[in-house]
Amino acid sequence: MHVPPVKGIHCTQGLAHGEYEWKDPETEDEVVNIVYVDRDGNRTPVRGKVGDNVLYLAHRYNIEMEGACEASLACTTCHVYVKQEYFDKLPEADEVEDDLLDLAPFLKPTSRLGCQIILKKEYEGMEVTLPQATRNFYVDGHKPEPH
Amino acid sequence: MHPLGRVLAFSQKCRRFSTNVIDPNSIQPKLCVVGSGPASFYAAQQILKALPKVQIDIFERLPVPFGLVRFGVAPDHPEVKNVINTFTKTAQDPRVKFIGNVKLGQDVSLAELQNAYHSVLLAYGAEEDRLLGIPGENLDNILSAREFVGWYNGLPNNKDLKFNLNIEKVAIIGQGNVALDVARILLSPIDLLKKTDITEYSLAALADSKVKEVKLIGRRGPLQVAFTIKEFREMLRLPRCFVNMNAEDFAGLDAIVPNLPRPRKRLTELLMKSISTSKETEADKCFNPIFFRTPKSFQSGEDASSVGALTVAVNTMEGENAVETDVLETIECGLVLRSIGYKSIQADSAIPFNSKRGLVENSGGVIQPGLYVSGWLGTGPVGVILSTMTNAFAVGQTMASDILNNTVDASIKKPGFEFIGSLLKKKGIQTVSFADWEQIDKVEQSRGKEKGKLREKIVDVKEMLTIASGKP
């Protein structure tokens, strides 16, 4: 059973496990269309709604965004790049998110944690791109041959 | 070329020329994994995606799963343990079987696993620690941070760890996140730990602790600290504890900081800001990072068998390297925790092991076709869950593609657990299923509830097995 974390800086929404994102928009006013771009450049347009969490919305549509710590600001597996004009619209990352972003591989100026992005109407058309993610973990410096 | 290298080069060639991609639905591969931490579950997740009819058997030495997520992550970091939920889903997949209380090298051999399964993945991590190798290291009250973490996290092998907290000064050797974890547990007010899943005996010992000062000793300077900013911030926020650093150790950094990459820049800025924020008057505890010091020897204290002081050499820096000078200093300390890195073991003599580095020889997780390694056992013991996840995903994908391109022939019949299970039965070994673990889990949570804690971990293997067997 998941017990809510003691720190509690982040839980603003009641439903923190993606149930909300599985509900379709009820009216056109609610709709926020965004696009997920994977690391190979494949684009998946998604019809989300106001209040959707970008991580859980990705899970609904089988986008490969991990979310290991379940949106509790304890990992960086939902790391995305936000298209610049939408990045500028997002509320600034708080200190906890910034500290985690320091650990994210392939960090860019438009990097954010997907689990901290809650859709608003003005994010209509937003594009979020998944980073390369794979680090070279071979201790001897070996690089895999392309095959 | 190393003989293993020749095998690997040949198998790489095979992969390039092999164009047959098998229909994933036409085969029923049987795979096994040794170890049940993140390196195991994340690899299993990728394999399940690629091979619809696979059977994955996960062997674990303890009756309980999850490895360092259960035994390494600090009790006051419960949200990091949320990954257990996704691992639980994987373990409950009908194609996955968890088999606890089975030890590689003792209960089964690598050869037996290779005979029974198409592919074997070694993911048993790193369970030993590195030694300093200096005089006096075998005095009492000198421990590894790893053992101390195992002690407060209820690792059965560490529950009877012998040491005492009747001393005021602690020296931690090393400046990584594990060092900060143990410093934080030693300096936290007991009330903050009471509701966590820290073991009962640890709470009692910490409540009686006389520790007032924790020094964190590193060979190099503030620019080389291995801990990360989130964890350092937690030290700054510890109630009634002041952080004390020597301003001279930061000389000249003002000029360098603006050009550092973002993570190092933000951390160094925070360190510099923290030299001058000391709230000495309200504090009764002190956290004291010390730089440019290399441990040279330990001396005993009032009790001739127990540590009382540490002699260090003062260092200067040449580029990124610390160079010892002739100057020596003595640091008073009644308890020493060595936090200089973990080390893996060679669980079975057939595993190609690099004893110098303490890991298994591999190329991208491949030891040879059909034998793989993921997580710290293959990469070396550095990195958080994210890095292990990335590595294990890649190895899992490689294992699946080796089957799909016939590098590993999954059309051969293999007995899988039919064989291993009967072997274990003959030896009288009680295996623990995932459902059995869920019983243990229930008991831990209900015992914890009685005390207002997340769980009260069971630390005795016999007790785990009794609960698992279903007998009262």
Side-chain angles (χ1 to χ4, degrees):
Chain A
M1 193 192 94
H2 172 60
V3 179
V6 179
K7 286 173 192 156
I9 297 174
H10 37 270
C11 294
T12 49
Q13 269 186 249
L15 296 168
H17 290 282
E19 294 98 343
Y20 181 73
E21 287 68 21
W22 277 86
K23 298 195 188 130
D24 285 332
E26 280 170 15
T27 65
E28 274 314 298
D29 285 344
E30 273 197 302
V31 172
V32 181
N33 293 293
I34 67 171
V35 180
Y36 291 92
V37 183
D38 76 14
R39 65 201 69 151
D40 299 319
N42 300 313
R43 300 169 63 87
T44 306
V46 162
R47 192 163 171 267
K49 63 188 186 295
V50 173
D52 277 349
N53 179 306
V54 164
L55 169 65
Y56 290 126
L57 189 62
H59 284 177
R60 177 178 174 179
Y61 290 97
N62 289 319
I63 312 287
E64 276 189 2
M65 214 187 279
E66 187 58 29
C69 76
E70 302 184 351
S72 61
L73 282 173
C75 79
T76 58
T77 57
C78 66
H79 173 210
V80 290
Y81 308 128
V82 182
K83 194 167 180 189
Q84 187 68 59
E85 65 232 56
Y86 296 96
F87 178 83
D88 296 334
K89 294 186 189 184
L90 297 174
E92 255 185 56
D94 67 17
E95 194 175 74
V96 186
E97 185 183 346
D98 269 334
D99 284 353
L100 282 171
L101 283 169
D102 281 358
L103 302 180
F106 306 105
L107 193 68
K108 288 189 183 172
T110 56
S111 284
R112 290 297 300 265
L113 294 182
C115 72
Q116 299 302 298
I117 304 174
I118 307 299
L119 294 185
K120 293 184 185 169
K121 203 65 189 156
E122 50 263 35
Y123 302 165
E124 173 71 25
M126 176 164 74
E127 287 182 18
V128 295
T129 304
L130 272 52
Q132 283 306 303
T134 45
R135 260 183 161 158
N136 212 348
F137 284 113
Y138 314 144
V139 184
D140 61 356
H142 163 85
K143 284 192 159 61
E145 284 171 317
H147 50 268
Chain B
M1 188 196 253
H2 187 278
L4 189 61
R6 244 177 255 129
V7 174
L8 291 170
F10 181 66
S11 75
Q12 300 274 23
K13 283 212 183 83
C14 283
R15 241 165 284 165
R16 250 179 276 154
F17 286 119
S18 168
T19 51
N20 291 337
V21 177
I22 293 161
D23 171 10
N25 283 299
S26 70
I27 44 164
Q28 294 172 313
K30 294 190 180 165
L31 271 49
C32 76
V33 186
V34 178
S36 66
S40 165
F41 278 103
Y42 280 130
Q45 285 177 357
Q46 291 300 309
I47 296 167
L48 290 169
K49 272 194 195 162
L51 303 174
K53 295 184 178 171
V54 71
Q55 174 61 40
I56 304 178
D57 291 346
I58 299 178
F59 293 97
E60 162 61 52
R61 179 178 60 185
L62 290 169
V64 298
F66 307 134
L68 281 177
V69 180
R70 175 177 166 101
F71 295 115
V73 176
D76 54 353
H77 288 168
E79 60 285 346
V80 177
K81 300 188 200 190
N82 284 347
V83 291
I84 285 178
N85 298 333
T86 172
F87 297 165
T88 296
K89 279 204 200 90
T90 302
Q92 291 169 338
D93 187 305
R95 297 169 289 169
V96 175
K97 189 188 182 79
F98 171 78
I99 303 138
N101 199 38
V102 177
K103 185 173 173 175
L104 175 66
Q106 179 183 285
D107 303 326
V108 285
S109 69
L110 179 60
E112 283 162 344
L113 291 179
Q114 286 179 295
N115 282 337
Y117 295 93
H118 294 104
S119 293
V120 177
L121 172 63
L122 301 174
Y124 61 79
E127 64 193 71
E128 288 189 349
D129 47 87
R130 295 174 57 204
L131 295 170
L132 288 161
I134 60 177
E137 199 164 6
N138 50 10
L139 282 169
D140 287 346
N141 250 23
I142 299 179
L143 322 166
S144 71
R146 185 197 58 73
E147 291 173 294
F148 186 67
V149 171
W151 173 78
Y152 64 63
N153 273 339
L155 184 63
N157 273 358
N158 295 137
K159 68 179 190 306
D160 297 320
L161 191 62
K162 292 277 168 279
F163 67 101
N164 84 75
L165 293 172
N166 273 344
I167 46 82
E168 288 195 356
K169 299 183 187 205
V170 180
I172 300 176
I173 318 286
Q175 295 179 330
N177 281 337
V178 176
L180 283 194
D181 269 359
V182 299
R184 193 179 69 251
I185 296 294
L186 284 167
L187 293 168
S188 283
I190 209 77
D191 288 334
L192 292 183
L193 298 174
K194 269 195 181 128
K195 296 197 155 119
T196 69
D197 63 5
I198 194 170
T199 51
E200 197 67 3
Y201 55 76
S202 309
L203 260 183
L206 289 165
D208 276 344
S209 157
K210 303 253 184 318
V211 172
K212 292 255 177 296
E213 181 186 280
V214 175
K215 289 176 150 63
L216 205 83
I217 301 171
R219 288 171 306 173
R220 299 187 293 172
L223 281 183
Q224 286 83 30
V225 296
F227 54 70
T228 46
I229 193 170
K230 179 177 191 229
E231 285 71 16
F232 185 72
R233 253 190 243 281
E234 288 180 87
M235 303 309 293
L236 295 173
R237 292 184 180 137
L238 276 175
R240 298 197 314 275
C241 178
F242 87 97
V243 177
N244 181 26
M245 289 184 286
N246 185 347
E248 283 170 26
D249 290 338
F250 293 79
L253 286 192
D254 268 316
I256 302 175
V257 160
N259 301 319
L260 295 171
R262 173 187 144 143
R264 184 56 70 184
K265 178 162 179 258
R266 290 181 79 242
L267 175 56
T268 311
E269 281 171 349
L270 182 61
L271 284 165
M272 288 169 68
K273 212 172 85 171
S274 311
I275 310 167
S276 40
T277 60
S278 64
K279 14 181 189 96
E280 228 176 291
T281 44
E282 311 149 17
D284 58 356
K285 299 213 175 123
C286 173
F287 173 58
N288 180 208
I290 294 184
F291 301 102
F292 307 115
R293 302 290 185 274
T294 294
K296 298 300 286 179
S297 64
F298 296 103
Q299 288 77 50
S300 58
E302 276 176 27
D303 174 354
S305 59
S306 194
V307 71
L310 159 68
T311 299
V312 293
V314 176
N315 298 334
T316 55
M317 293 294 291
E318 271 171 30
E320 282 291 295
N321 298 318
V323 175
E324 286 179 32
T325 66
D326 290 332
V327 182
L328 296 176
E329 285 177 357
T330 304
I331 298 175
E332 219 187 303
C333 49
L335 171 67
V336 175
L337 292 167
R338 191 179 48 226
S339 187
I340 56 172
Y342 288 52
K343 211 167 61 175
S344 293
I345 61 156
Q346 184 185 28
D348 185 298
S349 53
I351 299 173
F353 195 73
N354 183 325
S355 336
K356 199 160 164 230
R357 290 165 117 180
L359 53 78
V360 172
E361 302 280 14
N362 71 97
S363 175
V366 181
I367 299 170
Q368 68 197 42
L371 184 60
Y372 307 85
V373 60
S374 66
W376 281 7
L377 184 59
T379 65
V382 181
V384 294
I385 296 178
L386 165 66
S387 34
T388 297
M389 180 189 91
T390 308
N391 167 272
F393 275 178
V395 176
Q397 284 161 7
T398 298
M399 289 176 73
S401 18
D402 276 3
I403 285 177
L404 290 173
N405 64 29
N406 219 29
T407 302
V408 169
D409 186 354
S411 67
I412 304 173
K413 285 256 168 286
K414 288 278 192 180
F417 194 67
E418 261 180 58
F419 174 64
I420 300 292
S422 64
L423 208 112
L424 294 169
K425 221 175 184 171
K426 277 194 204 116
K427 292 187 178 180
I429 291 167
Q430 175 191 347
T431 56
V432 177
S433 69
F434 200 73
D436 296 335
W437 146 247
E438 286 171 325
Q439 283 310 305
I440 298 172
D441 185 24
K442 264 201 199 111
V443 173
E444 288 187 345
Q445 288 194 51
S446 83
R447 285 186 194 172
K449 203 167 177 197
E450 287 166 22
K451 303 174 189 175
K453 295 169 74 175
L454 286 179
R455 72 174 58 236
E456 183 58 57
K457 282 181 186 167
I458 295 169
V459 300
D460 185 82
V461 171
K462 284 204 189 84
E463 195 180 347
M464 291 175 188
L465 291 174
T466 304
I467 296 170
S469 71
K471 299 185 193 119

